[in-house]
Amino acid sequence: MSLEMRAALLKAAKRSPAGVGELARRLHRRTEVVVSLIREMAEEGLLERRTEKRGKRGRPRALVTPTPLGEDYLDAYRALELKPLRSRRTDLVRAAGDGEYAARLEARGLSPFDLFMELNSLVGRVEKGST
């Protein structure tokens, strides 16, 4: 699942402990999607599931709350969300040029990765020889 969906689930569960159906309504997602995401995040230690007995009849309600690790995940997500990605026009032009160069290498049947690794090893040898 996407990072945004994970963060949204953690935010919704942090607001107040909620059941699966309530979380699905808050997130505007199908219940099956939320259940699979909760299961996945519980295995990773980001969410905790516990049951709450409501009276004598009916199925116990499963409440979902974030663990301390889940709260740390959410804090880190919020911090990264506030940092804008900055690039200048020259950076974008250079990246486009690099992509075109890699495409030309591929068209000739050469692997850009293999060529980069070869160049890297040559530079490493030159540096070792000069020091």
Side-chain angles (χ1 to χ4, degrees), residues 2-19:
S2 71
L3 296 176
E4 293 83 12
M5 187 67 187
R6 289 169 169 264
L9 180 59
L10 285 167
K11 285 178 192 175
K14 186 176 181 176
R15 195 171 11 156
S16 65

Side-chain angles (χ1 to χ4, degrees), residues 2 7 21 24 29 43 45 82 118 126:
S2 71
R29 300 280 185 227
E43 288 173 2
L82 295 176
E118 183 179 345
V126 169

Side-chain angles (χ1 to χ4, degrees), residues 53-59:
K53 198 101 163 124
R54 295 185 294 175
K56 296 181 181 182
R57 295 189 327 200
R59 184 172 20 162

Side-chain angles (χ1 to χ4, degrees), residues 92-108:
L92 297 174
V93 169
R94 184 173 180 177
D98 290 345
E100 291 170 357
Y101 180 63
R104 286 194 307 268
L105 289 173
E106 287 284 339
R108 291 182 179 174

Side-chain angles (χ1 to χ4, degrees), residues 29-73:
R29 300 280 185 227
R30 291 190 346 252
T31 306
E32 299 83 25
V33 172
V34 174
V35 167
S36 68
L37 185 58
I38 289 171
R39 186 176 298 127
E40 185 179 311
M41 291 175 69
E43 288 173 2
E44 294 170 354
L46 298 173
L47 288 175
E48 180 180 58
R49 293 180 288 188
R50 67 175 202 274
T51 57
E52 176 187 80
K53 198 101 163 124
R54 295 185 294 175
K56 296 181 181 182
R57 295 189 327 200
R59 184 172 20 162
R61 184 175 168 198
L63 295 178
V64 178
T65 56
T67 63
L69 180 64
E71 291 181 13
D72 290 345
Y73 179 95

